[in-house]
Amino acid sequence: MDTAPAAKASIHAQTPPKRRALLFLVLPPALWLLCFLVLPYLGLFFQSFLGTNDLGDVVLEPSLDAWRAFFTKTLYRSTLLYTFKIALTVTSLAVLFSVPLAYFIAFKVRRGKELLYSLIIVPLWVSYIVRAYAWKIILGREGILNSFLQWAKITDAPVEAFLYSEWAIIIGLVHIYTPFVLMPVYTAFEQIPRSLVEASKDLGAGRITTFFRVVLPLSLPGVIAGGTFAFVLTLGDFLAPVLLGGTDNLMISNVVQNLFGTSNDRPLGSVVGIVLLVVVVALLETTSRAEKSFASLESGRGRLGGAR
């Protein structure tokens, strides 16, 4: 008769320690996010509504000049659109290379699967700067590519168009960010039940039909996650455009860097940073919803699952 009150008393006695343990686990990352993410962006947002004096120093006077400059000057909007174009191209190529390679490793390789996977992610162990400089050496005037073309008698003189071009940026970024796409795609392929693939083949579907009707839809959460990684990382990249693109192919992060550095226009730099943050957050929210929608395919509860 007295067991229920005793159990309730025991639960109430255990709750405070559990809450303290949960608070102990949550508090450090919450403080880290507050100090290094929330407060800095609040500072940028507040600074974007301030003006500057003749020396470029920020003054505590409310002003919308920075926001007006961003939306009226073509330079910032065109650079933002150019950055989106580069990010979309890099993401598309990275997904295009990652999907067949991850499919081959996950479904076709019988032995040495871990070794192949490790070889693909080995470039992540090398510094970003080293990988970017490697492409500078390959694509340069005296680089490996030009030396090979001259040795093969394809060209008589070094080709100047390889380095400091838009495609040099794209090639470098695709090489750098493809492992970030391949890892979630490969994980998605590995989680697909092989019984579904066998059932599709038993029902008469060929390899191509099975891939596009069964394997690819089930792997879409991984493809979306990998594509999001590549797109967001490319949006914020500022080193590859400097090393591989030169001064004529700057991206939006280079504009922010110049505004906070050489131009000494911190309110306008804050505006560009806030706009970029809003775009990235909207993109992450959209891809997160899409990823959850496709993830429910396996359980048959999602939009596609219902259609199935």
Side-chain angles (χ1 to χ4, degrees):
M1 294 294 291
D2 297 332
T3 54
K8 290 182 179 178
S10 175
I11 291 174
H12 286 298
Q14 293 176 2
T15 300
K18 288 183 178 179
R19 289 181 178 176
R20 283 197 294 270
L22 182 62
L23 182 64
F24 179 77
L25 292 175
V26 171
L27 191 59
L31 286 175
W32 190 90
L33 288 174
L34 179 66
C35 294
F36 297 105
L37 184 66
V38 177
L39 291 179
Y41 270 108
L42 285 177
L44 282 180
F45 185 74
F46 176 72
Q47 188 173 245
S48 68
F49 291 99
L50 298 179
T52 57
N53 59 22
D54 295 336
L55 299 176
D57 298 325
V58 178
V59 294
L60 293 176
E61 294 179 358
S63 173
L64 293 176
D65 291 344
W67 288 93
R68 192 178 298 112
F70 177 81
F71 286 106
T72 55
K73 292 186 178 179
T74 309
L75 169 66
Y76 305 110
R77 284 176 291 153
S78 61
T79 306
L80 190 61
L81 291 177
Y82 177 74
T83 304
F84 281 139
K85 188 186 77 172
I86 295 291
L88 189 60
T89 306
V90 170
T91 302
S92 302
L93 291 175
V95 171
L96 193 63
F97 292 143
S98 297
V99 170
L101 186 56
Y103 177 81
F104 176 76
I105 298 174
F107 286 91
K108 300 300 179 183
V109 176
R110 301 297 180 187
R111 294 181 179 179
K113 184 181 296 186
E114 292 77 12
L115 176 62
L116 281 177
Y117 182 74
S118 300
L119 289 176
I120 291 170
I121 64 174
V122 157
L124 295 179
W125 302 350
V126 181
S127 169
Y128 174 99
I129 299 177
V130 172
R131 284 180 284 165
Y133 263 108
W135 279 108
K136 192 170 184 176
I137 295 173
I138 293 173
L139 301 175
R141 179 182 172 83
E142 306 297 333
I144 299 173
L145 182 57
N146 266 318
S147 300
F148 172 77
L149 292 177
Q150 292 179 78
W151 173 82
K153 307 298 182 185
I154 298 176
T155 59
D156 296 330
V159 179
E160 302 282 355
F162 291 148
L163 190 61
Y164 302 130
S165 64
E166 180 179 317
W167 279 106
I169 301 175
I170 293 173
I171 291 171
L173 291 178
V174 167
H175 169 246
I176 291 171
Y177 292 134
T178 293
F180 290 95
V181 181
L182 190 139
M183 285 190 289
V185 173
Y186 174 76
T187 303
F189 280 146
E190 282 291 322
Q191 292 177 347
I192 294 175
R194 297 304 188 261
S195 59
L196 294 179
V197 180
E198 295 299 327
S200 175
K201 293 179 180 178
D202 291 342
L203 292 173
R207 293 181 179 179
I208 297 178
T209 303
T210 300
F211 176 78
F212 283 105
R213 299 292 296 273
V214 178
V215 176
L216 188 59
L218 291 175
S219 66
L220 280 179
V223 176
I224 294 172
T228 304
F229 280 143
F231 193 87
V232 172
L233 291 173
T234 303
L235 277 182
D237 199 291
F238 66 95
L239 193 56
V242 173
L243 293 177
L244 302 174
T247 56
D248 295 332
N249 296 282
L250 297 180
M251 294 168 62
I252 195 66
S253 296
N254 304 113
V255 173
V256 176
Q257 184 186 22
N258 291 334
L259 288 172
F260 277 96
T262 307
S263 302
N264 194 26
D265 194 346
R266 286 182 287 172
L268 185 53
S270 301
V271 171
V272 180
I274 292 296
V275 171
L276 194 59
L277 174 68
V278 171
V279 171
V280 170
V281 170
L283 175 68
L284 291 177
E285 178 62 23
T286 303
T287 55
S288 176
R289 289 175 181 271
E291 188 177 346
K292 289 177 182 177
S293 174
F294 285 110
S296 61
L297 178 65
E298 292 185 46
S299 61
R301 296 191 300 269
R303 175 170 53 84
L304 294 180
R308 184 181 62 173

